[in-house]
Amino acid sequence: MKFIENAFDKVRPQFEKGGKWEKLWPVFEAAETFHFVKPDRTQSGAHIRDHADTKRMMSIVIVALLPCFLFGMYNVGVQHFLAIGQEASLTAKVLFGARYVMPIVIVSYAVGGIWELLFCIVRKHEVNEGFLVTGLLFPLTLPPTIPLWLVAVGVSFGVVIGKEVFGGTGMNVFNPALTARALVFFAYADKISGEGVWTKLVGDQTFVDGYSGATPLLHAAGFNTASIAEQAAHVGLEPLTRVTDANVVIPHTQAALDGMSTMYANMDFSWMSMFIGTIPGSIGEVSTLACLIGALILIATGVGSWRIMLSCALGVAAMSAALHLGAEAFFPANPDGKQVVIPGMFMLPPHYHFVMGGLMFGLVFMTTDPVSAAHTKTGKWIYGFLIGVLVVIIRVINPAFPEGMMLAILFMNAFSPLIDYFVVQGNIKRRLARVQAA
Amino acid sequence: MATFNLRRGYDIPIAGAPASEVSEAAKPQTVAICPVDFLGIKARPLAEEGQAVKIGTPLASSKDDESHVITSPASGTLKEIRRGHRRVITHLVIACDGKDTAESYARYELAQIAGLGREKVLAQVKASGLLFAFRERPFNSAARPVHTPRDIFISTFDSGPLGVDMNLVVQGREAAFQAGLEVCRALTTGQVHLGVDGKGKNLSKAFTDAKNVQIHRFSGPHPAGNVGTHIHLVAPVKKRNDVVWTTTVAGVIRLGTLFLEGRVDPSTLVAVSGSAATERKHVRTVLGAPVKTILGGKAPDGDVRYISGNVLTGAKVSVDDYLHYYDNLLTVIPEATHAEFNGWMLPGGGKDSWYRIFLGKLVPGKRFQKDTRLGGGHRAMVFTGQYEAVTPIDVLPGFLYKSILANDIEEMEGLGIYEVVEEDIALCEYICPSKTDFQKVLRAGIRLIEKEG
């Protein structure tokens, strides 16, 4: 590849001190180090270094994201053709998905990249690789119908406010991709939530009967007595488990789920279908299986913290089991004797929580962002567990949000320094105890 | 007398280990002592350039204590007092006459040493210049005669990359080694602790059967052999004035010879290692020998880096330079020369890594040639728990680093800055993907504490 090297060597003087484009040095450096690992030598400290660098770590994360990305593109096509009631080949579905997903990814990288370069030029430091991951992560959290201008606005907010104002990669408090999504979610809620955004239609196409554009979580959030009765009846099941002595009605959510799975002629909302991911949702989060493959890659290479992933899963399981078993405790009997009906989400079994919504995607890729997560080993267990507990609380108990993963992660991001503070204090106290034990 | 099985750490699979055969180096024409090796000491010359010196003649002394002397390791003339930045003496160069005439000191039987008492022993050690064989913790400064150490620690195995085999160093000098241990016993109010390789084979009996000392076994990856690891696990340094002395196997042998034979023995065993060295071996030479003498006249081809010490903590020296005082290892590795096309993207079958991100990890037991490539740009530190995973002692290196950057002395003390020196966190620097400069920052933190108290 000598000719590429020569090309860079020829142009380098223009970007070095005194050159015409001296201010654009970060651009040149980024382009050159993208192609080559330079023979820069160690100047102080250890004379040899490990081959691992941030570029390598980030590229492993990108590889881990590929299953979600590729399946997500395919699924956009699947949902499109299901929604308009047409048969289509695998190729047609993939091409359709690519046609509408690739522009989102390109805009995300381009606009975010320009902000990154701008900050690097002004601050006079090299382009940091953290953006390589954020640029792909953010589009995967968006619905396929998102307008491209909104992608640009979102990623700008995420890169600038979520990362750069704190000092750039390695200094941010919050996950930049989620900060970007949070802006879109709160400022342009109608573009990113509701029943109509999850399926890409072209021109004046409409949903056929037998297709539901709502995500499984939206359905489950709507499980009340009437819908449960309808859904349970659909599969010939009794809608209600029991009414307690205190006149509290505990719904048969499993029946509702079974009913939901076959309610729509063109949809399959069974657990297995949700696990594989041929359901409406954000581009990258639909397939739990793809997320698991990504998790495997991250854990096998050691790039993603298994502690955070496991503790988050344990938190989800614990909290949803606790709500499932202890639902009655939340709903005391009505003093005037009227029936109290527990919302269906309370009885959602833990294994459904994992396949519905963005939980798995967030668990594998967002919670494990090393900068915004807790930095200590003990801290990671606490951090992950509390995210899991929080996401279930927001999903089940909070009536305003059907999905709570983004909010739970952003909330715990704010607490990571505090968690670490206590772990570090523990280290300091142990040392003090050794001093006093003299 | 404890056994420690350490799990955290990393043995870098670097190629270029030295062969066990020992050869004699030629007699050097010049040798040099580098007073900059003695941290915390400002050297003032006592001898003049051109003055005739014997082995043991004082050349310079500490500015704070004129009786704390640096003595000559060879007989001949003091050729040059080389000064560097801010007139600090960097080298005391002696032109050797090859005669090995030496100053003489009192001689004792092995059994007598214990009964001499601290003052007498310290006086002889100081006068011979061998007090510099000891370094102090905290901070790895040269041992000060006004400090009485609470304990003395000696590590008998070098777990660092391509390290010297201490069993070869002590071979034939077992009696002197035991006498040296008696000298150490006399110098401290507490115990002498010997750190022995828990998984080593054919360990010297001088180590395993040493008398009148506490023997502890350490097994595990590097830094299991670091004396700092031993101190932390056995009797950690508690505060600034909790002084512990450390010395090397070579230092102990020299101390023993001083009292058994009444002279300073400058001979030493040096390992020549590294993939760029033309001959990898153990060489018998003298303290302060020139790099050329140790190499044996066959200079390697191409662009290489000579390191006095090991690849993690050693100092870069030129081929015309001298081995530093505390080092018995000369590592020669190739300099990085060519750019790797798409290096960070490719599977990396020929690359080693502590991380599991290159295919090279899949071949167990493979040794890799390492050059001086930095391998990435400097970035902000990202915590993934990697630093703690290679640190067997209870210290959080990433947080300590940040507390130093923040100039927060209380936090530095709380996080253990008294317990670590450069060699204890060098592995963190090695594996850091952000290429963070741990050792430089640690020393800056130490200097801040020394200045501000």
Side-chain angles (χ1 to χ4, degrees):
Chain A
M1 295 305 140
K2 207 66 182 113
F3 73 96
I4 303 182
E5 232 184 305
N6 292 338
F8 276 110
D9 287 336
K10 210 167 92 171
V11 181
R12 186 179 298 114
Q14 313 223 19
F15 291 93
E16 285 175 329
K17 265 206 161 26
K20 205 165 70 172
W21 295 320
E22 153 183 5
K23 285 201 166 29
L24 292 181
W25 167 253
V27 182
F28 175 81
E29 192 273 342
E32 194 183 24
T33 54
F34 185 86
H35 290 95
F36 297 98
V37 179
K38 301 287 297 168
D40 295 340
R41 297 172 182 176
T42 52
Q43 299 294 333
S44 81
H47 298 269
I48 58 172
R49 300 299 174 101
D50 197 291
H51 284 283
D53 66 345
T54 45
K55 282 192 175 62
R56 184 73 178 184
M57 312 295 259
M58 295 303 149
S59 46
I60 303 269
V61 181
I62 304 256
V63 168
L65 272 172
L66 286 179
C68 287
F69 176 59
L70 296 172
F71 186 88
M73 276 203 299
Y74 163 69
N75 188 49
V76 168
V78 168
Q79 294 307 312
H80 169 78
F81 288 108
L82 278 178
I84 60 174
Q86 263 182 32
E87 291 289 320
S89 65
L90 177 76
T91 324
K93 289 174 185 165
V94 170
L95 284 178
F96 182 87
R99 158 80 181 81
Y100 290 99
V101 170
M102 286 311 296
I104 301 176
V105 174
I106 291 169
V107 168
S108 171
Y109 270 118
V111 174
I114 290 172
W115 280 111
E116 283 273 338
L117 282 172
L118 205 65
F119 272 88
C120 286
I121 291 168
V122 170
R123 287 180 175 163
K124 299 188 175 51
H125 67 65
E126 296 172 7
V127 176
N128 282 311
E129 294 81 4
F131 177 67
L132 284 179
V133 171
T134 309
L136 184 57
L137 216 47
F138 175 54
L140 296 181
T141 63
L142 301 172
T145 57
I146 195 103
L148 293 179
W149 62 264
L150 191 48
V151 178
V153 168
V155 81
S156 302
F157 185 80
V159 168
V160 176
I161 304 293
K163 196 167 70 171
E164 292 299 339
V165 296
F166 290 103
T169 306
M171 310 291 190
N172 46 293
V173 178
F174 296 102
N175 187 312
L178 283 181
T179 314
R181 188 177 199 276
L183 174 87
V184 177
F185 184 79
F186 287 106
Y188 300 93
D190 58 328
K191 302 270 189 302
I192 198 173
S193 51
E195 278 196 22
V197 300
W198 309 106
T199 312
K200 183 70 184 173
L201 296 172
V202 181
D204 54 4
Q205 290 168 337
T206 51
F207 290 169
V208 298
D209 288 335
Y211 183 82
S212 165
T215 64
L217 260 189
L218 276 176
H219 283 291
F223 281 176
N224 53 32
T225 31
S227 66
I228 290 176
E230 183 191 4
Q231 284 149 352
H234 189 80
V235 284
L237 282 174
E238 275 302 301
L240 306 170
T241 310
R242 56 196 175 99
V243 183
T244 68
D245 298 329
N247 221 4
V248 175
V249 180
I250 302 174
H252 193 323
T253 302
Q254 186 60 58
L257 288 167
D258 294 334
M260 180 182 92
S261 72
T262 52
M263 273 276 280
Y264 303 91
N266 289 12
M267 314 286 294
D268 181 3
F269 280 126
S270 65
W271 187 91
M272 184 49 77
S273 170
M274 294 197 276
F275 178 74
I276 297 199
T278 44
I279 49 171
S282 297
I283 300 172
E285 53 89 339
V286 284
S287 175
T288 313
L289 178 62
C291 293
L292 279 176
I293 296 172
L296 220 69
I297 295 173
L298 290 178
I299 293 175
T301 53
V303 170
S305 167
W306 63 268
R307 287 184 181 88
I308 298 180
M309 292 193 218
L310 179 61
S311 58
C312 186
L314 288 174
V316 170
M319 192 63 197
S320 58
L323 287 178
H324 191 107
L325 299 169
E328 280 176 65
F330 282 94
F331 292 88
N334 216 316
D336 53 0
K338 277 170 71 170
Q339 262 193 354
V340 174
V341 183
I342 296 180
M345 277 292 278
F346 268 82
M347 307 306 284
L348 196 70
H351 61 291
Y352 274 89
H353 272 289
F354 283 105
V355 297
M356 294 164 93
L359 196 151
M360 211 51 199
F361 187 77
L363 185 153
V364 176
F365 298 105
M366 302 293 194
T367 60
T368 51
D369 168 25
V371 178
S372 52
H375 294 164
T376 53
K377 210 156 88 168
T378 316
K380 286 177 182 169
W381 287 105
I382 301 172
Y383 167 82
F385 188 81
L386 287 179
I387 290 180
V389 166
L390 218 53
V391 70
V392 174
I393 289 178
I394 297 175
R395 280 181 166 187
V396 175
I397 302 181
N398 185 319
F401 304 107
E403 173 60 281
M405 195 56 177
M406 167 182 73
L407 303 168
I409 296 174
L410 286 173
F411 188 78
M412 286 313 298
N413 280 163
F415 280 88
S416 325
L418 186 65
I419 296 172
D420 286 331
Y421 174 79
F422 283 111
V423 177
V424 170
Q425 286 302 305
N427 183 287
I428 294 177
K429 285 199 173 60
R430 273 200 303 281
R431 183 158 288 106
L432 213 58
R434 285 196 287 270
V435 171
Q436 256 121 38
Chain B
M1 302 285 197
T3 310
F4 299 91
N5 290 315
L6 303 173
R7 284 174 306 136
R8 302 202 297 249
Y10 179 50
D11 286 320
I12 303 172
I14 180 173
S20 296
E21 68 232 16
V22 179
S23 52
E24 290 286 329
K27 274 190 176 307
Q29 306 229 300
T30 56
V31 296
I33 299 272
C34 310
V36 287
D37 292 339
F38 309 135
L39 297 173
I41 300 287
K42 286 195 178 69
R44 290 277 175 275
L46 288 176
E48 287 173 0
E49 283 184 2
Q51 179 176 328
V53 294
K54 294 191 266 191
I55 298 175
T57 308
L59 299 176
S61 72
S62 161
K63 180 176 158 214
D64 298 326
D65 180 357
E66 269 220 3
S67 63
H68 188 199
V69 292
I70 300 170
T71 59
S72 173
S75 67
T77 30
L78 177 56
K79 183 172 163 203
E80 186 194 352
I81 301 175
R82 199 181 299 171
R83 292 184 189 266
H85 185 57
R86 283 171 141 211
R87 300 268 304 157
V88 164
I89 302 176
T90 58
H91 293 78
L92 295 159
V93 185
I94 295 114
C96 308
D97 59 11
K99 294 206 200 98
D100 290 343
T101 33
E103 305 277 1
S104 55
Y105 308 89
R107 298 172 56 163
Y108 301 92
E109 297 289 324
L110 174 65
Q112 290 175 301
I113 300 175
L116 290 176
R118 185 171 189 273
E119 277 200 38
K120 215 160 168 186
V121 171
L122 181 63
Q124 179 154 334
V125 171
K126 239 173 75 170
S128 65
L130 287 186
L131 191 57
F132 285 102
F134 293 101
R135 282 189 283 192
E136 276 181 2
R137 296 291 179 107
F139 307 155
N140 230 14
S141 328
R144 311 283 286 275
V146 292
H147 291 159
T148 306
R150 176 257 287 167
D151 283 308
I152 294 183
F153 278 81
I154 301 142
S155 173
T156 65
F157 67 112
D158 182 1
S159 59
L162 308 176
V164 68
D165 184 354
M166 304 272 190
N167 299 296
L168 286 179
V169 174
V170 81
Q171 205 175 61
R173 314 296 305 276
E174 290 86 352
F177 183 77
Q178 183 62 44
L181 292 178
E182 296 297 332
V183 171
C184 292
R185 264 186 74 213
L187 288 172
T188 174
T189 50
Q191 302 274 3
V192 173
H193 297 271
L194 220 57
V196 170
D197 189 354
K199 56 180 176 153
K201 302 185 188 40
N202 303 321
L203 296 178
S204 168
K205 289 259 181 320
F207 303 148
T208 54
D209 298 347
K211 311 231 177 345
N212 303 323
V213 297
Q214 298 286 323
I215 299 178
H216 310 280
R217 290 176 176 273
F218 299 89
S219 52
H222 181 62
N226 275 12
V227 71
T229 308
H230 302 175
I231 296 172
H232 177 92
L233 292 170
V234 172
V237 170
K238 299 183 205 59
K239 37 188 187 279
R240 178 89 180 272
N241 56 8
D242 183 25
V243 172
V244 167
W245 284 5
T246 70
T247 183
T248 58
V249 168
V252 173
I253 293 172
R254 215 165 273 138
L255 287 164
T257 313
L258 172 66
F259 280 77
L260 286 183
E261 298 178 29
R263 65 177 183 105
V264 173
D265 178 10
S267 71
T268 184
L269 192 75
V270 173
V272 180
S273 57
S275 60
T278 39
E279 259 186 83
R280 285 178 279 282
K281 56 195 171 179
H282 286 78
V283 168
R284 214 173 288 288
T285 179
V286 293
L287 190 56
V291 169
K292 281 209 180 95
T293 306
I294 298 169
L295 284 175
K298 299 183 196 80
D301 302 314
D303 214 348
V304 298
R305 181 178 296 194
Y306 301 94
I307 302 168
S308 172
N310 70 25
V311 286
L312 290 177
T313 57
K316 181 172 160 183
V317 290
S318 77
V319 74
D320 302 313
D321 214 331
Y322 301 86
L323 201 67
H324 287 234
Y325 188 91
Y326 294 109
D327 295 326
N328 51 8
L329 172 62
L330 180 73
T331 316
V332 189
I333 54 173
E335 291 275 23
T337 45
H338 65 281
E340 295 173 354
F341 183 63
N342 283 341
W344 56 273
M345 281 193 238
L346 300 174
K351 288 188 176 172
D352 66 291
S353 178
W354 177 78
Y355 302 89
R356 301 189 292 271
I357 56 179
F358 292 98
L359 284 187
K361 196 82 173 181
L362 294 176
V363 187
K366 183 168 163 183
R367 298 255 137 192
F368 299 83
Q369 217 192 60
K370 299 287 293 181
D371 63 17
T372 57
R373 183 183 304 262
L374 188 61
H378 288 279
R379 299 281 181 270
M381 182 185 287
V382 174
F383 291 72
T384 54
Q386 72 276 46
Y387 308 124
E388 286 81 10
V390 294
T391 310
I393 58 180
D394 188 16
V395 162
L396 300 170
F399 292 95
L400 177 60
Y401 177 87
K402 294 218 163 172
S403 69
I404 297 174
L405 291 185
N407 289 336
D408 187 343
I409 294 185
E410 271 86 40
E411 180 140 343
M412 286 186 228
E413 292 181 335
L415 287 173
I417 198 167
Y418 297 132
E419 297 193 59
V420 293
V421 295
E422 285 90 330
E423 64 175 20
D424 300 315
I425 43 96
L427 261 183
C428 300
E429 190 176 64
Y430 173 78
I431 63 166
C432 182
S434 306
K435 314 299 171 191
T436 313
D437 48 356
F438 271 95
Q439 298 186 57
K440 191 160 115 180
V441 167
L442 178 63
R443 187 47 58 179
I446 290 173
R447 280 207 194 95
L448 179 70
I449 290 185
E450 286 176 329
K451 198 172 81 169
E452 311 249 335

